[in-house]
Amino acid sequence: MSELKSRRLTVRARTRFTRWDLVLAMVLVLAVAGLLWRASGVFSYKWAWSTVWPFVFRFDELTASWVPNLLAEGLATTLRLAFWGILAASLIGTVMGFARVSQRLVFRLIGTAYVMLIRNIPPVVFVFVFVYFIASQIMPTLALGDRAKELSPALQWWVSVFFGTPKLLDNFLLGLLCLSVFSGAYVTEIVRAGIQSVPQAQIEAGNSLGMSQADVTRFVVLPQAFRNVLPPMAGQLIQLIKDSSLVSLVSIQELTFMAQDVQITTQRVFEVFVFTGAIYFVICFTLSQVFASLERRYARALK
Amino acid sequence: MESDIIKLNGVNKWFGDLHVLQDVDLSIRRGERVVICGPSGSGKSTLIRCINRLEQHDEGSIVVDGIELNQDTENVAAIRREVGMVFQHFNLFPHLSVLENCALPQIRARGASRDQAEAKAMEYLRRVRIPEQASKFPSQLSGGQQQRVAIARSLCMEPKVMLFDEPTSALDPEMIKEVLDVIIDLAQSGMTMICVTHEMGFAKKVADTVVFMDAGRIVEKAPPQQLFENPQSERTKLFLSQILSH
């Protein structure tokens, strides 16, 4: 309580720019300048950014208009993966997080097995195993892509806005499922830590006031857990966006996959990947800011 | 209407090998004010936590307002709505304002509308003399103020019995009085209450009955004058000499 107050004060005090910060900044600038000067001697490269732009948008002769090309389409897929992935991973993580702390052994076992299985294999290996052995069996059975094609044009339009073109729907959902199941395991652990960070006394207080277990969970435990895990959760969801590039390994046509395509076509490794990196940075940085403002809002409420 | 609002019969409880409550029999009349005292580890807190089932007893029966506490969650919920509890460490909800702390349980457990709930919350906040703190968060209040909010929050549920689990033990000395004054007010208004406390002055002033516990047993039960001035058991005498000697 008062401890929290003093921590906020020290954070504020630390933001002052002192003499030592100036010295450090100057050393840093000199080091970078020196490095660039050394590099310019050995590194000669003719940047050709103009080769990248047509792959973002191209001029379509038939309709005489600009249409998105590979990189813009890849970006759209990445954004869709990020949006649905964050929702799905949060949902899986919340359900599994509660399973991890459940009174029932079966739920605890399911939650623990899920987390342990995913946390202890490398992400790349997980993607291959999941896609080739599991999802390639499930997705064709569901045949959601084919079903989407039978929808009315208006509905098809909505589907294509939220999930991409029906032609690639199975492909997209496969990537999404893979990413959500993978990230969900890490979210599970964060949710578990959050639930356990709320003191038992809070639950007792809610119980003693006659509130049902569900109400105590919803109105007492979850809001406090959510606030406590906001920083690690922000990190994990930003990680999810970056991890979405992993599914390019199994031909999900998101930004990284498209970038590789364009890079092979143009032989312009630096331009294509510097551009791709910048886009990821903008997306992740935006999300960081959103979380930072959420944290500030909660900190204000606690002041 | 039966005159005993709480009846404990042959209650036993173990924490592992530790026998924390041993054959406890206790009846409490409507309107009776009971103070439970005894050395730490004597089972005082466990006893009152059994009454609203924050702990489960292993043997015997506990009947509150005609309802027996058992595995039936409906019974447990019904009893918890009638029994208010104030904790040593307040246990306010830190993410909610004082007003919301008092309103939320009424809305969720009593089905009150938000307007009704907030009106009643303000009524009881006035009664514990801190209506002006309604929009603040618990962490902005002193310990004494937080404990008074906790009392108001319980009273908002209009309980028939109030349980106090060492309500002043976590407070700085200068805040103990403001909290005790509120509890004394409440006692004088006729509320049935059971209070675990080491405040002997408070016990003398408001209690109808003082219960002395040691090692999980009720050693002695008597009106305050009798228990303090003429204790029957050696164990009670020893305890009283220790806490009253300084």
Side-chain angles (χ1 to χ4, degrees):
Chain A
M1 286 170 253
S2 59
E3 197 178 297
L4 231 162
K5 247 182 253 173
S6 61
R7 200 170 63 216
R8 279 167 55 76
L9 282 179
T10 49
V11 167
R12 216 174 283 146
R14 246 184 247 143
T15 55
R16 281 194 13 224
F17 197 82
T18 67
R19 205 170 355 157
W20 289 108
D21 293 312
L22 189 68
V23 172
L24 274 174
M26 280 165 64
V27 169
L28 202 64
V29 168
L30 285 175
V32 171
L35 207 64
L36 284 177
W37 179 73
R38 286 270 305 166
S40 65
V42 282
F43 183 83
S44 71
Y45 185 77
K46 274 193 70 167
W47 293 92
W49 286 102
S50 56
T51 51
V52 176
W53 308 137
F55 289 97
V56 184
F57 287 99
R58 71 185 167 85
F59 191 76
D60 187 40
E61 306 284 348
L62 278 175
T63 55
S65 61
W66 289 92
V67 291
N69 202 353
L70 296 179
L71 289 176
E73 280 169 5
L75 170 62
T77 305
T78 290
L79 287 175
R80 290 183 190 113
L81 275 175
F83 177 78
W84 293 111
I86 284 172
L87 282 186
S90 305
L91 186 72
I92 295 175
T94 306
V95 171
M96 284 296 183
F98 273 100
R100 286 274 277 151
V101 296
S102 166
Q103 307 271 336
R104 272 182 209 283
L105 181 65
V106 180
F107 290 153
R108 276 207 310 280
L109 282 177
I110 293 172
T112 309
Y114 168 59
V115 170
M116 290 308 152
L117 200 63
I118 285 170
R119 203 165 62 170
N120 297 309
I121 29 181
V124 177
V125 176
F126 169 79
V127 169
F128 282 127
V129 172
F130 187 84
V131 168
Y132 289 132
F133 288 101
I134 301 172
S136 69
Q137 304 299 316
I138 301 169
M139 297 313 291
T141 321
L142 294 176
L144 289 167
D146 294 339
R147 283 179 208 191
K149 281 178 215 153
E150 290 159 17
L151 294 170
S152 71
L155 273 176
Q156 276 203 31
W157 185 82
W158 281 109
V159 168
S160 66
V161 168
F162 285 111
F163 301 99
T165 159
K167 198 175 63 188
L168 286 174
L169 188 64
D170 282 347
N171 179 276
F172 171 79
L173 290 178
L174 182 56
L176 176 62
L177 196 64
C178 180
L179 184 64
S180 313
V181 168
F182 168 70
S183 298
Y186 295 92
V187 175
T188 298
E189 280 304 84
I190 294 172
V191 170
R192 177 187 63 80
I195 295 168
Q196 288 176 338
S197 74
V198 178
Q200 185 64 26
Q202 287 287 309
I203 298 166
E204 287 182 358
N207 284 341
S208 78
L209 289 157
M211 287 164 73
S212 68
Q213 213 51 51
D215 280 346
V216 171
T217 301
R218 184 168 150 209
F219 295 101
V220 177
V221 177
L222 270 184
Q224 295 186 58
F226 180 69
R227 206 178 52 193
N228 292 347
V229 299
L230 209 47
M233 192 66 97
Q236 189 55 49
L237 294 182
I238 288 162
Q239 184 74 44
L240 180 149
I241 297 182
K242 293 182 289 178
D243 286 345
S244 73
S245 65
L246 281 173
V247 299
S248 66
L249 290 171
V250 288
S251 305
I252 312 299
Q253 305 186 3
E254 44 67 76
L255 186 56
T256 304
F257 181 88
M258 294 302 202
Q260 271 167 329
D261 243 22
V262 174
Q263 181 258 120
I264 290 163
T265 318
T266 60
Q267 297 294 314
R268 286 283 163 191
V269 187
F270 289 118
E271 287 87 343
V272 171
F273 280 106
V274 166
F275 175 75
T276 306
I279 289 184
Y280 276 112
F281 179 86
V282 169
I283 302 171
C284 294
F285 185 74
T286 310
L287 194 64
S288 307
Q289 294 307 105
V290 170
F291 275 106
S293 83
L294 264 179
E295 263 182 66
R296 275 195 302 274
R297 219 179 73 194
Y298 281 113
R300 253 205 308 280
L302 253 192
K303 140 192 99 200
Chain B
M1 199 190 288
E2 206 184 350
S3 67
D4 286 339
I5 191 162
I6 296 174
K7 259 188 180 162
L8 284 81
N9 240 319
V11 171
N12 276 283
K13 178 167 179 61
W14 288 265
F15 283 135
D17 289 335
L18 194 66
H19 200 170
V20 283
L21 292 178
Q22 305 192 26
D23 304 317
V24 172
D25 294 314
L26 183 66
S27 295
I28 292 163
R29 298 185 313 277
R30 274 171 213 283
E32 188 172 357
R33 289 150 300 195
V34 178
V35 163
I36 302 179
C37 61
S40 52
S42 60
K44 308 166 301 229
S45 290
T46 307
L47 178 65
I48 66 167
R49 286 163 62 85
C50 279
I51 294 175
N52 66 351
R53 205 141 178 112
L54 290 183
E55 307 283 355
Q56 264 186 47
H57 57 284
D58 298 314
E59 279 174 14
S61 77
I62 300 178
V63 179
V64 180
D65 200 26
I67 306 170
E68 168 143 20
L69 269 176
N70 48 30
Q71 297 300 334
D72 187 343
T73 50
E74 271 310 302
N75 280 5
V76 174
I79 287 172
R80 281 176 176 163
R81 280 193 294 268
E82 304 308 330
V83 178
M85 186 168 215
V86 173
F87 299 87
Q88 183 178 359
H89 296 284
F90 333 133
N91 299 1
L92 293 175
F93 304 134
H95 60 299
L96 299 178
S97 73
V98 164
L99 187 69
E100 287 163 337
N101 260 280
C102 296
L104 175 73
Q106 297 180 59
I107 296 169
R108 301 312 308 179
R110 284 270 191 228
S113 72
R114 178 154 287 278
D115 286 347
Q116 287 170 339
E118 288 185 356
K120 190 174 284 174
M122 285 313 296
E123 179 191 330
Y124 282 104
L125 285 173
R126 269 194 290 277
R127 191 151 158 198
V128 300
R129 303 178 201 114
I130 37 172
E132 72 283 0
Q133 311 286 359
S135 61
K136 289 200 181 155
F137 284 87
S139 59
Q140 295 169 295
L141 305 183
S142 73
Q145 290 171 323
Q146 289 190 52
Q147 191 61 300
R148 284 187 281 152
V149 172
I151 295 171
R153 179 176 72 174
S154 272
L155 292 178
C156 281
M157 299 300 290
E158 314 222 300
K160 292 178 179 160
V161 183
M162 284 289 287
L163 307 174
F164 293 89
D165 190 2
E166 306 204 24
T168 57
S169 302
L171 295 175
D172 292 338
E174 72 265 32
M175 291 167 188
I176 291 177
K177 188 178 176 302
E178 66 183 57
V179 171
L180 284 184
D181 283 347
V182 166
I183 302 177
I184 290 168
D185 267 6
L186 192 63
Q188 284 162 354
S189 75
M191 173 69 79
T192 309
M193 56 169 72
I194 306 177
C195 186
V196 172
T197 183
H198 298 294
E199 297 291 332
M200 290 305 133
F202 167 79
K204 278 178 195 162
K205 194 164 180 181
V206 304
D208 301 304
T209 309
V210 177
V211 171
F212 174 70
M213 286 186 75
D214 186 39
R217 289 178 189 281
I218 292 184
V219 177
E220 207 165 337
K221 176 176 178 257
Q225 277 81 9
Q226 192 182 324
L227 191 117
F228 290 133
E229 279 150 34
N230 188 19
Q232 301 298 303
S233 126
E234 286 306 315
R235 187 65 192 89
T236 317
K237 280 178 201 166
L238 181 64
F239 176 75
L240 290 174
S241 72
Q242 277 164 349
I243 62 163
L244 298 177
S245 63
H246 50 79

